[in-house]
Amino acid sequence: MDKSSALVIGMVLIVLGLVGLGWNRITYFEEDTIVDVGPVRVTATEEKEIPLAPILGGVAVAGGVALLVTGARKT
């Protein structure tokens, strides 16, 4: 991995890690069909969440910092 790609990946990891630390979960919506009989269709939208552990954000930030340091030291 060359110097510039290590720096870019490191910065992306830091940003994603900080976002992960700020938000505790990812929320999305899923639409389910309850009844589908001829022209009648009944659907329900359900909100679902994916929890994010704060340790994941911390690991991403630490990995990004490590990449920035090693990328900056390469000659």
Side-chain angles (χ1 to χ4, degrees), residues 11-58:
M11 286 188 279
V12 168
L13 278 175
I14 290 172
V15 169
L16 289 176
L18 291 175
V19 167
L21 286 172
W23 280 314
N24 296 334
R25 64 182 106 15
I26 297 172
T27 305
Y28 66 97
F29 297 93
E30 188 174 280
E31 188 173 292
D32 294 329
T33 301
I34 298 172
V35 176
D36 192 5
V37 179
V40 177
R41 184 174 182 196
V42 178
T43 60
T45 303
E46 184 179 357
E47 181 179 351
K48 296 193 175 189
E49 296 178 346
I50 300 173
L52 295 176
I55 191 73
L56 293 176

Side-chain angles (χ1 to χ4, degrees), residues 53-68:
I55 191 73
L56 293 176
V59 168
V61 171
V65 170
L67 276 175
L68 285 178

